[in-house]
Amino acid sequence: RKEVEQDPGPFNVPEGATVAFNCTYSNSASQSFFWYRQDCRKEPKLLMSVYSSGNEDGRFTAQLNRASQYISLLIRDSKLSDSATYLCVPRGGFQKLVFGTGTRLLVSP
Amino acid sequence: DVKVTQSSRYLVKRTGEKVFLECVQDMDHENMFWYRQDPGLGLRLIYFSYDVKMKEKGDIPEGYSVSREKKERFSLILESASTNQTSMYLCASKGPTNTGELFFGEGSRLTVL
């Protein structure tokens, strides 16, 4: 089983829609989790950190379900600028972050 | 503003050549990382370093080596480049706090012919 699994998408949604991505992880010892955003041909950048059951930042909500070992990212009121690939990143061993392959989101007018 | 700089954005090398990819960060971070990113495989960790002259193997170290002689600089070396090392290489740095924020460079796209 892969350490991190994400649906590659693409998820095609209209502006204003609500969209959610899930990510499953295999290392039950992971204590912290992160969502990174990567624009086309750009480097990844941190979007959100999730340390307990969840985190909310404006239109973005991340939730953690430790029992089922998955993390979700919910985006409300999608904007064109939200089009990107979203990478799920559980924290593994010492300083080691394990990146998922990402879920691609396309927001259309 | 934080900055991770990779010296070459695009490189084309021939099979068997020795390749150096340089990365410099200006944030005084202890931890530095080299990843490669391939379609469908995501980011895979090659090597990381948590201090000067210290290095640890990541998930795919074969065919690579690294050098960390100064805190701000972390170099990735391909001793004898092969075509399967054609990829996007991303350097990142991270501070000592218990956060997940990696700061990435813009990447070096290497093509091995």
Side-chain angles (χ1 to χ4, degrees):
Chain A
R1 182 183 173 185
K2 286 185 179 179
E3 286 193 74
V4 187
E5 296 203 54
Q6 293 184 256
D7 182 339
F11 283 58
N12 290 284
V13 302
E15 270 188 293
T18 295
V19 61
F21 317 130
N22 279 343
C23 162
T24 58
Y25 62 95
S26 61
N27 184 357
S28 58
S30 295
Q31 293 296 309
S32 46
F33 306 84
F34 311 93
W35 283 100
Y36 275 71
R37 171 196 169 122
Q38 186 172 24
D39 293 309
C40 188
R41 302 185 188 280
K42 297 283 191 180
E43 71 275 20
K45 293 185 179 179
L46 182 67
L47 176 68
M48 293 185 74
S49 304
V50 187
Y51 295 105
S52 56
S53 61
N55 191 15
E56 185 172 327
D57 183 4
R59 297 182 295 109
F60 297 84
T61 301
Q63 289 192 314
L64 169 62
N65 184 319
R66 289 187 188 276
S68 301
Q69 293 186 211
Y70 78 81
I71 317 150
S72 63
L73 178 67
L74 180 78
I75 305 175
R76 290 180 296 277
D77 189 23
S78 299
K79 312 289 185 192
L80 294 176
S81 57
D82 293 334
S83 296
T85 296
Y86 291 85
L87 306 171
C88 170
V89 189
R91 181 167 170 164
F94 175 73
Q95 303 293 358
K96 183 180 173 185
L97 301 180
V98 182
F99 283 80
T101 53
T103 296
R104 192 168 170 216
L105 171 65
L106 298 172
V107 182
S108 54
Chain B
D1 209 11
V2 298
K3 191 79 174 175
V4 178
T5 302
Q6 294 183 230
S7 55
S8 305
R9 293 293 305 278
Y10 300 95
L11 303 95
V12 180
K13 298 292 181 181
R14 296 206 175 272
T15 300
E17 281 193 77
K18 191 168 185 176
V19 182
F20 291 88
L21 299 179
E22 305 284 345
C23 175
V24 177
Q25 50 98 359
D26 65 359
M27 297 164 281
D28 200 35
H29 283 167
E30 287 78 9
N31 305 292
M32 297 188 74
F33 305 78
W34 275 106
Y35 289 86
R36 63 177 281 179
Q37 186 171 30
D38 301 287
L41 297 176
L43 277 85
R44 292 180 291 167
L45 182 63
I46 305 171
Y47 266 97
F48 65 101
S49 168
Y50 52 89
D51 203 352
V52 175
K53 296 192 185 294
M54 305 301 288
K55 60 185 179 184
E56 293 285 341
K57 292 180 179 179
D59 298 317
I60 52 163
E62 296 80 17
Y64 303 94
S65 61
V66 290
S67 172
R68 184 107 181 261
E69 295 296 318
K70 293 185 178 181
K71 191 176 187 180
E72 67 270 19
R73 187 179 297 270
F74 191 35
S75 303
L76 181 69
I77 303 152
L78 288 67
E79 293 289 342
S80 178
S82 61
T83 54
N84 63 12
Q85 293 178 309
T86 292
S87 186
M88 170 66 83
Y89 290 88
L90 288 159
C91 173
S93 75
K94 179 179 177 303
T97 56
N98 193 29
T99 72
E101 186 158 19
L102 291 179
F103 295 90
F104 284 89
E106 292 183 306
S108 299
R109 181 163 292 282
L110 171 67
T111 300
V112 182
L113 302 175

